[in-house]
Amino acid sequence: MTWVITGIASNDDNPDSCNGLTGDSLKVCQDAGDIGTTIGVGLVVGFWVAADFILALTYLIYRLATRPQRA
């Protein structure tokens, strides 16, 4: 969760790469930075969900393997 908050907070409204740009060029440069932030946060959330799924599957397999046998 900290990575998501840090990733969103680190988004700079006027990055150094946009210096000297005006009008539509400035808007496109800023939007590109916003899209990059969205992709980065999406990847962190995606990896988080994948890890939770793997842990849940591992726990399910463990529970099934250690249950008592039926007579």
Side-chain angles (χ1 to χ4, degrees), residues 52-67:
D52 283 347
F53 178 76
I54 291 168
L55 288 172
L57 187 62
T58 304
Y59 179 71
L60 177 67
I61 291 170
Y62 168 77
R63 293 284 296 185
L64 288 174
T66 58
R67 69 180 179 184

Side-chain angles (χ1 to χ4, degrees), residues 5 9-10 12 14-15 17-18 20 23 25 29 33 35-36 42 44 50 57 59 61 63-64 71:
I5 294 169
S10 69
D12 189 7
N14 195 12
S17 61
C18 296
S25 298
C29 184
I35 291 170
V44 169
L57 187 62
Y59 179 71
I61 291 170
R63 293 284 296 185
L64 288 174

Side-chain angles (χ1 to χ4, degrees), residues 28-40:
V28 168
C29 184
Q30 290 171 340
D31 289 345
D34 293 341
I35 291 170
T37 300
T38 303
I39 291 171

